[in-house]
């Protein structure tokens, strides 16, 4: 179990497991999905996954093919599910006043009360097109703001907003599974009028799912301080329709 957990701790290796979970994929195709990483580095990731028992390897001549080995995750999954079932037990029911008292007590004790928002919309564009509106600075600027970005795990994402006090969002890409999923941290540089959330202090997960002639985009923003939940949710509700319009006309 320890080897499996160490292997999946790396975002690139997690992305590789997603690629090979449903079908056998050649090493060359896997490397082609990560153009920002050298081929020797991809090979090292594959060796780590194989050594942890998470992928099966089939050799055909000089080629190697990889596929997820589900049983390699079984022990880790059992452990994590047992932990989650314990942590997910609902607390005793409390009314609105009780929740408010709990939040006040948490703030007095220096505990951050965080919230998660989730929004979904359909875009009349393929996932490959929508993906570019998160990873290409020129396209991202058409719906969000002037962007500086390095679309790879560990790369910077910085967006200068066009509206209001023009705050600057700054975070870092954590995970990129091309055309399927990307994860980045989210926060604001300390400028006048910027929300009280430091750079990289929260987390945004974007999932792109093929849906008929387009894409269903699901955005999940977690780790938000409770006072910023409504403001941040309203911000995404304003921005995502702009993304939908821009991608549909690309």
């Amino acid at each position: 179990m320890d080897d499996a957990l160490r292997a999946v701790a790396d975002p690139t290796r997690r992305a590789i497991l997603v690629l090979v979970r449903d079908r056998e994929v050649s090493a060359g195709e896997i490397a082609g999905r990560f153009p920002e990483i050298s081929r020797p580095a991809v090979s090292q990731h594959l060796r780590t996954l194989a050594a942890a028992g998470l992928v099966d390897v089939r050799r055909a001549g000089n080629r190697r093919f990889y596929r997820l080995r589900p049983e390699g995750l079984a022990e880790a999954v059992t452990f994590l599910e047992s932990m989650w079932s314990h942590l997910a037990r609902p607390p005793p029911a409390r009314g609105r006043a009780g929740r408010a008292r709990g939040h006040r007590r948490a703030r007095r004790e220096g505990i951050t009360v965080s919230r998660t928002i989730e929004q979904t919309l359909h875009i009349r564009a393929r996932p490959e097109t929508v993906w570019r509106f998160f990873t290409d600075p020129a396209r991202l600027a058409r719906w969000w703001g002037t962007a500086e970005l390095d679309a790879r795990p560990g790369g910077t994402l910085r967006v200068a907003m066009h509206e209001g006090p023009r705050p600057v969002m700054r975070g870092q890409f954590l995970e990129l599974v091309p055309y399927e999923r990307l994860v980045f941290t989210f926060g604001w540089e300390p400028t006048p009028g910027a929300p009280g959330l430091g750079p990289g202090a929260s987390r945004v997960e974007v999932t792109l799912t093929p849906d008929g002639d387009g894409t269903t985009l699901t955005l999940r923003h977690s780790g938000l301080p409770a006072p910023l939940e409504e403001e941040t949710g309203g911000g995404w509700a304003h921005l995502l329709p702009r993304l939908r319009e821009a991608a549909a006309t690309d």
Side-chain angles (χ1 to χ4, degrees), residues 56-117:
D56 284 322
V57 186
R58 180 176 67 86
R59 293 174 174 80
N62 293 327
R63 304 180 70 192
R64 287 182 172 83
F65 295 83
Y66 295 83
R67 186 161 193 162
L68 178 68
R69 183 174 177 269
E71 56 268 34
L73 285 167
E75 187 178 357
V77 168
T78 298
F79 170 75
L80 293 172
E81 284 182 342
S82 68
M83 293 296 293
W84 178 251
S85 64
H86 173 77
L87 294 172
R89 290 172 188 166
R94 294 190 298 171
R96 186 173 182 178
R99 289 194 297 272
R101 287 194 298 271
H103 291 168
R104 288 195 295 270
R105 179 182 176 186
R107 286 193 291 271
R108 285 197 305 270
E109 296 178 358
I111 300 170
T112 299
V113 179
S114 65
R115 300 289 182 86
T116 298
I117 60 174

Side-chain angles (χ1 to χ4, degrees), residues 123-126 129-130 132-133 139 142-143 241-250:
I123 301 175
R124 293 182 64 84
R126 300 299 302 162
T129 298
V130 180
R132 288 194 288 271
F133 278 83
R139 287 181 170 86
R142 289 166 55 186
W143 66 278
R242 293 173 55 173
L243 166 61
R244 175 171 55 195
E245 180 179 356
T249 57
D250 191 55

Side-chain angles (χ1 to χ4, degrees), residues 117 140 143-146 157-172 184-204 221-225 227-239:
I117 60 174
L140 191 147
W143 66 278
W144 191 351
T146 303
L157 174 61
R158 186 176 185 272
V159 183
M161 304 291 289
H162 293 155
E163 302 170 349
R166 299 179 180 272
V168 178
M169 195 293 296
R170 180 154 56 90
Q172 184 180 71
F184 55 91
T185 60
F186 180 109
W188 301 97
E189 294 186 355
T191 56
L197 184 70
S202 63
R203 174 186 173 101
V204 177
H221 194 157
S222 59
L224 289 165
L228 289 181
E229 178 187 17
E230 183 175 353
E231 177 182 352
T232 305
W236 286 120
H238 170 67
L239 287 170

Side-chain angles (χ1 to χ4, degrees), residues 10-23:
D10 182 90
T12 299
R13 291 196 284 271
R14 291 198 300 271
I16 291 172
L17 289 176
V18 171
L19 288 177
V20 303
R21 67 185 174 189
D22 297 319
R23 65 186 180 94

